Amino acid sequence: MKMNKQHLTLLVLLDLSAAFDTVDHVILLNRLNSNFCISGRVLSWFRSYLHNRSQSVSVNGETPRSFDVKHGVPQGSCLGPLLFILYVSKLFTIFERHLPEVHAYADDTQLYIAFKPEPEHATNAVAAMQACITDIRKWMLMDKLMLNDEKTEFIVIGTRKQLVKVDIDSLCVGHTAILPSSEVRNLGG
């Protein structure tokens, strides 16, 4: 829709490392209580659901021992993606400070900003995106998540006529300069 208005769109696809496996149960339960007013029996049910979980690996039909699972949300469950989204809900307050729009589906987060195809607007869009990513990285460290800088991708979307008017040669993600991609894969809903 922005192309119809002769705008370009800078799209960044963030890659979270082992996102579902790194959810801290204490932080999640506190967030369910403080941000979503979940308390009493319902909070106790979530606590019970998350605690005292174990997993084991079977090799050639033998299962030597099980290991306690102290972090993460159960993948393949109905609640896993929902609990993860509630866990990372603070991200949306970060997005709102920097970008007008965002798309997130479970651990697939896409940041985008549209701008006029002029160098100064491209510079402003890149600055806003990099500031947003910097704040996301700070929050992730506090909440024990990790952004995989090297696997984060970006692409500039627009008509050929508009794309030749700007040159975004890289985007700084942490200490990594990410080069633009000519195509990206959208895994989220």
Side-chain angles (χ1 to χ4, degrees):
M1 291 184 347
K2 296 294 182 178
M3 285 176 27
N4 290 340
K5 295 180 180 180
Q6 303 301 309
H7 283 82
L8 296 171
T9 300
L10 172 60
L11 171 65
V12 177
L13 293 91
L14 301 178
D15 186 86
L16 282 65
S17 296
F20 279 75
D21 298 330
T22 57
V23 170
D24 183 281
H25 294 165
V26 173
I27 293 172
L28 174 59
L29 292 169
N30 286 336
R31 188 151 299 138
L32 290 174
N33 181 254
S34 63
N35 293 18
F36 300 100
C37 300
I38 295 173
S39 60
R41 285 186 185 204
V42 176
L43 188 62
S44 293
W45 183 86
F46 278 112
R47 185 177 291 109
S48 172
Y49 179 73
L50 294 169
H51 289 125
N52 298 321
R53 298 184 77 84
S54 63
Q55 67 183 20
S56 60
V57 177
S58 177
V59 179
N60 295 328
E62 293 185 34
T63 307
R65 67 179 198 153
S66 63
F67 299 91
D68 291 336
V69 178
K70 298 184 185 218
H71 300 284
V73 291
Q75 293 185 47
S77 69
C78 295
L79 285 178
L82 175 63
L83 289 173
F84 182 78
I85 289 169
L86 296 173
Y87 186 76
V88 299
S89 61
K90 279 184 139 184
L91 279 174
F92 290 94
T93 59
I94 296 170
F95 300 151
E96 288 173 356
R97 284 196 310 259
H98 298 282
L99 304 173
E101 300 174 80
V102 67
H103 174 78
Y105 175 78
D107 62 339
D108 176 41
T109 303
Q110 300 170 15
L111 311 173
Y112 52 96
I113 187 167
F115 58 95
K116 293 179 182 177
E118 298 165 7
E120 64 273 9
H121 292 284
T123 300
N124 292 340
V126 168
M129 188 64 72
Q130 289 181 161
C132 185
I133 293 169
T134 297
D135 284 355
I136 289 169
R137 288 173 53 78
K138 287 177 191 173
W139 171 80
M140 284 186 165
L141 286 173
M142 289 186 336
D143 278 18
K144 302 179 182 176
L145 294 171
M146 192 168 82
L147 186 62
N148 188 340
D149 298 344
E150 291 80 24
K151 287 190 177 179
T152 294
E153 299 179 284
F154 86 90
I155 189 169
V156 181
I157 302 168
T159 65
R160 284 189 189 135
K161 183 178 177 183
Q162 301 302 335
L163 286 169
V164 296
K165 295 179 181 180
V166 298
D167 182 27
I168 301 176
D169 58 349
S170 68
L171 190 67
C172 185
V173 178
H175 298 293
T176 304
I178 306 296
L179 301 177
S181 299
S182 58
E183 61 182 55
V184 294
R185 185 176 302 218
N186 178 1
L187 301 176

